[in-house]
Amino acid sequence: MTVSSFNPPSRMLMGPGPSDIHSRVLQALGRPVIGHLDPEFILMMDEIKGLLHYTFQTTNQMTLPVSAPGSAGMESCFVNLVEPGDSVIVCINGVFGMRMVENVERCGATAITVNDEWGTPIDLNKLEDTIKANPDAKAVAFVHAETSTGVQSDAAAISKLAQAGDMLTIMDAVTSLGGTPVMIDEWKIDACYSGTQKCLSCVPGISPVTFSDRALDVIRKRNHKVQSWFLDMNLIMGYWSSEGATRSYHHTAPVNALYALHESLVMLKDEGIENAWKRHQKNHNGLKAGLETLGLDLIVDESCRLPQLNAIKVPEGIDEALVRRRMLSDFGIEIGAGLGALAGKVWRIGLMGQSSTPRHVTLCLAALEGVLSDIGAPLKGNDAAGAAQKILLQA
Amino acid sequence: MTVSSFNPPSRMLMGPGPSDIHSRVLQALGRPVIGHLDPEFILMMDEIKGLLHYTFQTTNQMTLPVSAPGSAGMESCFVNLVEPGDSVIVCINGVFGMRMVENVERCGATAITVNDEWGTPIDLNKLEDTIKANPDAKAVAFVHAETSTGVQSDAAAISKLAQAGDMLTIMDAVTSLGGTPVMIDEWKIDACYSGTQKCLSCVPGISPVTFSDRALDVIRKRNHKVQSWFLDMNLIMGYWSSEGATRSYHHTAPVNALYALHESLVMLKDEGIENAWKRHQKNHNGLKAGLETLGLDLIVDESCRLPQLNAIKVPEGIDEALVRRRMLSDFGIEIGAGLGALAGKVWRIGLMGQSSTPRHVTLCLAALEGVLSDIGAPLKGNDAAGAAQKILLQA
């Protein structure tokens, strides 16, 4: 086998992640590696922690990037907080709630599930009943922004219910962080993980996490060692603590990916996180106007719809995979397929981070309209991009 | 807090990793991200698998890069192969053997340890006795190249003993892969993990692993689910399998880090792995000649010394941390400190991957000689770099 260097094709990423990455972040990524214990690298790590405090809207001391993808960030929350014999209430309204159940069970604990239909938010009444019926449950785990459906649940209300039941909260903010408000301290969330490749528009492979002091206390008082050495927060904090010179080696940090994360967080801070939230909403509004023009429906009700992840119902009789293939081959645009129960039924268009711009919305709508027309799909109207512009070009 | 972009200082990396990265690999790393399910990305994944077959000298089907650092690669071997109630023989002659024990115990299994002095290789007689005394042990785990001491153990002989006892072998090749021979098939190793930031000279954060068919069989016949969802090889293979279009989503791959790994493996293949082994040996010989000139001793006997990781005894009365600080501040050269039992007692000079060149050896020796002279350390002779040249410049 002869193998040459790989040159990626030109793409515009509008699926469920990764999202497009700004050249500033790619340049940071490609800077020469230095040691993971280099004094200057350690100063940068401190800056990342500060920037993550801002991004998560928290003062939690234990706020840091796990050196692995969001799935490992999820696992870091469960393996540190859950012990064999515990029970955890898990809200399921999509793929990632199901993955949480897997995590709970693999910790030797019991998952008590609250099931809601995919495409709807977590039902607060059902959750409240479940909390009351299971007063010994240790935690309530839920997905803030379900990437598989495009639904946002009411994290503040869920957290309040958990607190009333004296339970910890574990929140998945993989798709929400940086795109819609994630208020760790205000909502009193005890453990939260996210990903870098969505609204932060950084490279995939890193998972920012944050743990409250209450969660820290639970971790310190565990009866069993954390089952994962790699994800044991007691050990990781020895490396990420702010003691400077006394930092101890745990694993070799992904130095270059952290350069990139640093740069993407600097960009977010420079923009202002509230401005980023507004930008995501505005570009979503433009996309929505264009989709309405074409007669395409979003499956999620407006009241709980994520602006950054748009699940669109595939019209009857349309070969959904063909449309995605054509978007990719004719325009270099990646849009996402459905996952799990929604496989084959939806397209998922991400407007996340650097992929949330008028340019992305306009081209995506024009391309989608072109492809659908070309394969003979009946469309309600035309010039979807024009309809979007009316919103996108407003000051 | 105002934070600006981070620009790393200029460094020459000669510690225990990360090693210097070639500009080709940094350029690959910084290319635009594409989707982790993009057809062109999937073709690249297949190429990575092929290149890893070459690098590991194996035909094992389950050969792939774990999306996290070497510590997670280690954990992937243990959590997939070891179940609660199992016992595993672990050879300890440095930090990483101790970490293996942690892994075994966190799997709910028992570690039976064979302890050898740090700086010496694994004693085959002691291991053989332990295998005979514990016929029910499931596996023998050992570190091929101990990064904490610079010792290489006889992997072929260890594996033969394990086979005679009908036990699996789990091998740490983090520091050996690409620097000295790692012959997975010839040695009949069942599970092996490595890191990308050592002799492969790629970014830290990825761990190539390989599992034999015998190991696969053990994984398939487990009684308990793998305790880590993120590292469950049954699931990971669904994404990394060679079925092409049927690949299923498990986690979002670290796309850019895999571009970089691909490029570093292409470079290794272009050089020829045997040539890389020779290069590491020759540069070590040069370093050794220079150290001898200065009267500095390597702690490991020549018969089992790793050319790529050189543990040097700190002369009595010398402030070892001051020497490292001066190497860094005056020359931008990173050398490593001792770890664990060797903390404060050795320096560790890495000649790994792109950091294994005559340029690195020459500058490091000249700088070390200068710093030691400057702080008044008694040296046996001078012009260590000149002594090295006599070897380095030979055809």
Side-chain angles (χ1 to χ4, degrees), chain B residues 51-73:
Chain B
L51 290 162
L52 285 179
H53 282 151
Y54 173 71
T55 308
F56 275 123
Q57 300 279 299
T58 185
T59 58
N60 284 341
Q61 191 210 339
M62 197 189 261
T63 302
L64 52 84
V66 166
S67 304
S71 318

Side-chain angles (χ1 to χ4, degrees), chain A residues 1 4-6 11 31 38 75 99 102 106 225-230 232 250 262-263 269, chain B residues 1 4-6 11 31 38 75 99 102 106 225-226 228-230 232 250 262-263 269:
Chain A
M1 182 177 73
S4 345
S5 299
F6 177 71
R11 294 285 189 246
R31 291 189 180 125
D38 194 293
E75 197 158 313
R99 189 175 294 183
E102 279 288 335
R106 289 173 193 233
K225 271 192 186 177
V226 173
Q227 69 193 35
S228 169
W229 186 91
F230 173 60
D232 186 337
H250 175 254
H262 183 274
E263 189 69 16
K269 182 124 195 246
Chain B
M1 181 177 71
S4 344
S5 298
F6 177 71
R11 295 284 188 247
R31 291 189 181 125
D38 194 293
E75 197 158 313
R99 190 176 292 182
E102 278 289 334
R106 289 173 193 233
K225 272 192 186 175
V226 173
S228 169
W229 186 90
F230 173 59
D232 186 338
H250 175 254
H262 183 274
E263 189 70 15
K269 182 125 194 247

Side-chain angles (χ1 to χ4, degrees), chain B residues 231-344:
Chain B
L231 296 174
D232 186 338
M233 283 295 151
N234 296 296
L235 304 176
I236 291 173
M237 272 309 274
Y239 176 53
W240 276 91
S241 77
S242 45
E243 309 300 314
T246 66
R247 258 162 231 255
S248 59
Y249 164 64
H250 175 254
H251 65 275
T252 303
V255 174
N256 294 65
L258 293 176
Y259 292 167
L261 177 60
H262 183 274
E263 189 70 15
S264 68
L265 295 175
V266 167
M267 287 182 70
L268 181 63
K269 182 125 194 247
D270 286 352
E271 178 179 13
I273 198 163
E274 295 85 357
N275 294 328
W277 299 334
K278 280 184 209 149
R279 173 169 55 83
H280 282 88
Q281 187 61 50
K282 185 173 181 180
N283 287 310
H284 162 78
N285 291 345
L287 181 74
K288 186 184 65 163
L291 294 172
E292 278 168 1
T293 300
L294 300 177
L296 294 173
D297 299 321
L298 291 162
I299 66 160
V300 173
D301 189 75
E302 193 150 6
S303 61
C304 54
R305 191 186 292 160
L306 283 168
Q308 62 269 51
L309 200 285
N310 298 273
I312 298 161
K313 205 175 147 188
V314 176
E316 231 164 299
I318 298 298
D319 179 348
E320 73 83 21
L322 173 66
V323 172
R324 284 187 291 112
R325 277 201 306 276
R326 290 288 302 276
M327 291 289 280
L328 196 70
S329 60
D330 293 338
F331 296 96
I333 299 175
E334 177 178 274
I335 64 171
L339 259 190
L342 293 177

Side-chain angles (χ1 to χ4, degrees), chain B residues 75-88 103-110 138-139 141 168 170 218-219 222 224-227:
Chain B
E75 197 158 313
S76 75
C77 291
F78 286 95
V79 297
N80 281 281
L81 291 173
V82 181
E83 298 197 60
D86 285 343
S87 62
V88 177
N103 270 270
V104 169
E105 291 176 352
R106 289 173 193 233
C107 291
T110 304
K138 188 176 198 174
L168 295 166
I170 300 176
V218 170
I219 295 173
R222 287 176 62 96
H224 309 79
K225 272 192 186 175
V226 173
Q227 68 193 34

